[in-house]
Amino acid sequence: MCNNCFEKEYNSFPSEKDWLDFDLELTQKLGSNKIKNLEFKRDGKRDKDDGEYIYECLTCKQKWKLKDPDYSFRGYFLKTK
């Protein structure tokens, strides 16, 4: 992790405000070319559009996986192993 990507992981987004704040930060980092979207991995568990977004920091090369919150499922944003 570095200053250009993210300082912490989110095991879940406890509230809509937490999700919206994170989403704004992600959008800003994508817009300023600090992080890029690599791929969308479908998991086929809930519907055809469900899966994880994979991102990579352009500075430190850390990869992240994002699962959007959906109703009672609170999503996550975690480093890939």
Side-chain angles (χ1 to χ4, degrees):
M1 295 186 292
C2 72
N3 291 336
N4 287 325
C5 58
F6 292 88
E7 296 178 11
K8 68 176 188 170
E9 296 176 279
Y10 294 86
N11 291 319
S12 71
F13 299 99
S15 70
E16 184 175 0
K17 180 176 179 356
D18 291 324
W19 163 246
L20 293 173
D21 290 346
F22 168 80
D23 191 46
L24 177 60
E25 182 180 4
L26 176 62
T27 301
Q28 290 170 336
K29 288 179 185 293
L30 286 165
S32 62
N33 291 319
K34 293 180 180 179
I35 195 168
K36 70 176 178 177
N37 180 282
L38 292 179
E39 66 180 305
F40 179 74
K41 290 186 176 180
R42 296 190 193 313
D43 65 14
K45 290 184 180 177
R46 290 186 289 185
D47 61 45
K48 64 181 179 179
D49 294 331
D50 197 33
E52 294 177 330
Y53 294 91
I54 307 298
Y55 295 93
E56 181 181 43
C57 175
L58 295 174
T59 302
C60 71
K61 303 302 181 193
Q62 174 65 55
K63 291 183 181 175
W64 300 86
K65 58 185 178 180
L66 169 67
K67 183 100 167 188
D68 292 341
D70 184 28
Y71 300 104
S72 63
F73 176 72
R74 299 310 317 149
Y76 54 78
F77 185 73
L78 303 170
K79 294 186 284 184
T80 60
K81 306 288 185 224

